[in-house]
Amino acid sequence: MSDPAAASAGTLRLESATAVDRAAQELRRAVFDGELESGTPLREVALAASLGVSRPTVREALTLLVAEGLATREPHRGVSVATPEAASVRDICAARWVLESAGVRAWPQADDALRRRVRTTLEDYTTAVHAGGSYQELNERHLAFHLCLVALAGSPRLVQMAEQLVTELKLALAQVERLRRNAHDEADHHARLVLLLESGDVDAAHEFLRAHLAGAADEIITALALEPEA
């Protein structure tokens, strides 16, 4: 015979988790759309009132953002929107190069479905660019394309590593997008890379990707006026 109290408690946990997820998603949107800039304090009381949820729900949502690298928590100062650092941006782009270049090298042997996915994500991103998609949408579709490059290597673990790197980079990319609105250039670069792969010139695609990611690091650091590395 089931315990009604236990069943009720399970339902409450599910509803709480849903509220936390929704609160976290709204906070992500506000960060990516520029409503919450780098360094902005994230006060539980004010956010709870704004989102119409409890303080514990906001606290859990903020914990998710901290884990994703979108926010930072400091003793006696609380939680604030994360501020990208030049060294971290370069390190993330260097790590992405290792993962994405493995996928590019694997293009000739990759499963047809994985190659089709690269083409599809490129089309999705280009369509969103021409339709004037939101910053968050462009950010998501831009990075989805790069994740599909990693997937070409056929390793779920490499994709998981890339997903973590992408999460850490989303904040910086969103801010650059707002400052420069360079999505058309990015879409053109992606299309050029795919054309090189389709033509069979994997070496040229490999070098193009290297230059693309190095340029992305420089652009982010310059656009956000980040302090140079020591």
Side-chain angles (χ1 to χ4, degrees), residues 37 39-42 66 70-74 77-83:
E37 294 284 356
T40 301
L42 299 173
V66 170
L70 297 179
T72 56
R73 190 188 304 274
E74 298 182 46
R77 298 186 63 181
V79 180
S80 59
V81 179
T83 300

Side-chain angles (χ1 to χ4, degrees), residues 179-196:
L179 289 170
R180 295 197 171 180
R181 198 66 179 178
N182 65 339
H184 284 85
D185 291 341
E186 288 293 330
D188 289 344
H189 288 176
H190 293 175
R192 174 62 177 160
L193 176 62
V194 172
L195 282 174
L196 289 170

Side-chain angles (χ1 to χ4, degrees), residues 54-77:
S54 67
R55 285 186 65 184
T57 295
V58 170
R59 191 174 303 123
E60 290 186 48
L62 292 177
T63 297
L64 291 177
L65 265 65
V66 170
E68 295 169 0
L70 297 179
T72 56
R73 190 188 304 274
E74 298 182 46
H76 311 300
R77 298 186 63 181

Side-chain angles (χ1 to χ4, degrees), residues 133-177:
S134 69
Y135 299 122
Q136 185 171 9
E137 180 185 12
L138 295 179
N139 214 9
E140 294 288 345
R141 295 196 179 194
H142 171 200
L143 293 171
F145 171 81
H146 284 276
L147 287 175
C148 285
L149 293 180
V150 179
L152 291 168
S155 169
R157 288 179 175 82
L158 291 183
V159 174
Q160 289 175 358
M161 294 177 190
E163 287 173 343
Q164 178 58 41
L165 293 172
V166 159
T167 297
E168 293 182 48
L169 198 62
K170 280 182 179 179
L171 176 59
L173 285 175
Q175 292 186 49
V176 170
E177 176 63 21

Side-chain angles (χ1 to χ4, degrees), residues 2 5 11 22 24 41 70 74 84 100 112 117 120 137 161 168-169 177 186 195 198 201 213:
S2 62
T11 301
R22 289 176 177 171
L70 297 179
E74 298 182 46
E100 293 181 31
D112 285 343
R117 185 59 184 155
T120 299
E137 180 185 12
M161 294 177 190
E168 293 182 48
L169 198 62
E177 176 63 21
E186 288 293 330
L195 282 174
E198 297 279 20
D201 197 342
L213 291 176

